[in-house]
Amino acid sequence: MGLTTRPAGGTGTVVSYEPQSSEGWVATKLDFLVNWGRANSLWPMPFGTACCAIEFMATAASKFDLARFGMERMSFSPRQADVLICAGRVPFKLAPIIRRIWQQMPQPKWCISMGACASSGGMFDNYAVVQGIDTIIPVDVYVPGCPPRPEGLLYGIRMLQEKVMRERMSNTARLRREMEPDPTSRLFIPPPAIDELSEPFGNSVNQTRSAL
Amino acid sequence: MSTGLAPASETPPRIVYPGSADPNAPRPVTPTGIPHRGGPENPSAAAIRAQFPDAVRRVDVVWGETTVVVAGDKVLEIVRWLHDQPLHLYTYLSDVTAVEFRDPEEPIAVVWHLRSLAYRRFLRLKAEIPPGAPLEADSVWPVFKGADWLERECYDMFGIRFRGHPDLRRILMWEQYLEGFPLRKDFPLRGRFSRAEQLRQALAANPEARYSMEELSIADAFEDLPPSMRARLKGGEKTGE
């Protein structure tokens, strides 16, 4: 790269900032580098409740191969996930559970709502089904279809990757602060304690365990 | 629970059914030409009528399946008799459900689906609940332990209380569900509350409080657990976290 040492014979090693040649230089923004890394290794947390999950499995299998986009690592623990893929209808009985899963995911996190039921309740406009998971958790990409074909889900994932690439670290409003921890819960740990216990974690300023 | 097996003299002869593993068994034939109404009824129906002449209201045969409409207070007795009799041996309870009709004279009926594996018979028992009467029925849990969840589902969806059920509470909807019984005819498809209220109530539920001590069968066995495990459970084990 641009940091080279003088040829041997000089007095010690001196770092020079002069370009020695035209090759080996990368000029970039830190945002781009971080986003590039994030967008190409999104770890999905599959939340499959219905037939959309079957299409999701097909997407992850060899024919469509989600691994091409850096998502080969299915994270079945929300603690190690970047993107929640909600595939299928969510009944009201699951609403507090998917919200808990979302709250357990560390920042930065994204959400894909896969299929008509997850996006809007679909044809289940009845007493038992949540009318769109965006009434519970924020959604970045809605994938239409009943169920969407794997190509549709891959298109949604590419859209999410483009969205991640456009993010700016200086924009702190991007951080998701909708989490409302319940201090009366036995499971509650204060966010500073979580950060202190879990350091060091991640490689960016926004990536903390407490997700705050 | 007694199996009710009779002495050897009453044991019926071994029957070779079509398609069974016996080398002399005839080939199984798909029945054809079954009438919509009528036709040969299940021989158990006549036996019930002979044994409980006051309890049987009527016997219907629809598409070859026999329905015996019986008095609601005799259901447990009849089911136990069908289960124990060596000539019937209805040892498998397929389903317990209910039907609501838009009929003021016959508003709702509870249905039991029984199957005799030994004799390859299917029998449907029905008990009509008269209008104005409380929605109650006898639990067949003393005979079939598997009726536990079936009756809970029937209670959850129709609001029928089963007398003698050990733990009658909702099974599909959450236990704090306040909107009523969803499969009743007067229940609106989208529920009684607004979407916002439904969502608020759903999100107010604690996901950790989903499983009761009874459900995990810990309550009974709690004292038998090793002390370390007892301490862990008493302090609220952080499961699923």
Side-chain angles (χ1 to χ4, degrees), chain B residues 20 26 36 46 58 61 107 138 198 210 230 236:
Chain B
S20 67
H36 180 199
R58 63 173 195 275
V61 182
D138 276 335
Q198 284 173 344
R210 176 83 45 190
R230 236 180 304 163

Side-chain angles (χ1 to χ4, degrees), chain A residues 91-108:
Chain A
F92 280 119
K93 206 172 175 179
L94 271 183
I97 292 167
I98 190 171
R99 182 177 207 153
R100 176 67 59 91
I101 286 173
W102 175 255
Q103 288 174 345
Q104 285 175 343
M105 287 168 60
Q107 297 271 15

Side-chain angles (χ1 to χ4, degrees), chain A residues 79 91-97 99-100 104 124-131 135-136 185-187, chain B residues 171-174 177 182 187 189-191 195 198-199 202-203 205-208 210 235-236 238 241:
Chain A
R79 301 276 188 201
F92 280 119
K93 206 172 175 179
L94 271 183
I97 292 167
R99 182 177 207 153
R100 176 67 59 91
Q104 285 175 343
F124 300 100
D125 187 7
N126 62 21
Y127 63 94
V129 176
V130 172
Q131 300 300 299
T135 57
I136 311 170
S185 165
R186 287 199 309 269
L187 306 172
Chain B
I171 186 169
L172 294 175
M173 311 306 286
W174 51 102
Y177 190 67
F187 188 88
L189 177 62
R190 292 174 183 170
R195 288 291 185 205
Q198 284 173 344
L199 198 65
L203 287 176
N206 180 5
E208 271 85 30
R210 176 83 45 190
K238 292 177 177 59
E241 283 291 295

Side-chain angles (χ1 to χ4, degrees), chain B residues 14 16-17 19-26:
Chain B
R14 189 164 163 272
V16 178
Y17 289 102
S20 67
D22 194 292
N24 301 320

